[in-house]
Amino acid sequence: MNYLDWKNKGKLISVFGNDVFVIDKGHLKKTLVILHGYPTSSYDYYKTLPELSKHYRVIIHDHLGFGFSDKPVDYSYSLIEQADVALQLWKQLKLTNITLLAHDYGTSVATEILARHNKQQINLQIEKLILCNGSMHIELSKLRMIQKLLRNKITRKWIAKLTNYPLYRKNLRNVYFDKSKATNGELQEMWFMLEYNHGRKVIHFLSNYINERYTFWHRWIGALKETTIPTKIIWAKNDPVAVAVIAELLTLEIPNNKLFWIDNCGHFPMLEKPDEWLNLVLK
């Protein structure tokens, strides 16, 4: 799908003074909200949105700094603030009862939301939680070299300036199990969305989420240990970054959970094996 066709499916909603790109599809009573990963956007779900919207009202937004949302240079891009934006957006959309699905970067935004939910700080009923391939246990994650360089305060600005499409394509393709599934056309569309609205100027700010996963480890892992929300863990088994041992540890920590594996699949199961991923989400 062309990135402009994807843009036409959504709209911009002002949240705390910044424009957030939102897709709101489906008219059913049950609502599924999705928190996407890094360094991509809501576009990760272009293959699965048509089927998901037959079962839910699906709401997915681009985090600030990603996709078609605003990319201000004078912004912290803290996962805490990304959670603030998500919660305010859902409040503006008058959501009161949701199923929350999160992948990669989005899983840390989700755990911040869980921490507030556990303390009854938010007026939102979360019926179910679905977690997919996220490095919540950052100490077990196998970070790529470019992630390490972008995380480093000295090198990250220069790496962001030097980032180009061939480098992006190589790094994204390397987290797929079946490299042929990461087509040039699809990766090109993702790159367009990263560059959209001067996105390369904020790449090095976005990567600070890795440091935050260490800083707020006890808060966010603690939130998973405390939650009573029924949780489904859907994990691509051959993810070279959010490795399988993370999912296995989560099953020991989250009180009410069920783990489902997707074999022979890398970091983006909704793109690499969309039908299998969909079946597990809707199961």
Side-chain angles (χ1 to χ4, degrees), residues 109-123:
V109 180
T111 50
E112 171 58 25
I113 290 169
L114 274 187
R116 302 182 198 187
H117 186 269
N118 291 344
K119 295 179 175 64
Q120 298 181 325
Q121 293 173 336
I122 55 176
N123 186 25

Side-chain angles (χ1 to χ4, degrees), residues 152-164:
N152 186 290
K153 289 183 179 179
I154 297 169
T155 59
R156 66 188 188 183
K157 190 172 182 179
W158 300 106
I159 293 298
K161 284 186 176 181
L162 293 170
T163 297
N164 55 28

Side-chain angles (χ1 to χ4, degrees), residues 89-103:
L89 170 67
W90 300 338
K91 184 178 180 181
Q92 288 176 209
L93 292 173
K94 296 182 168 51
L95 304 187
T96 56
N97 194 301
I98 63 168
T99 291
L100 172 56
L101 186 153
H103 169 246

Side-chain angles (χ1 to χ4, degrees), residues 66 75 84 86 92 102 104 135 138 165 169 212 216 223 261 275:
F66 296 79
Y75 193 77
D84 290 340
Q92 288 176 209
D104 184 68
S135 298
I138 188 63
Y165 174 62
R169 179 181 61 198
E212 285 192 295
F216 296 105
W261 293 111
D275 292 340

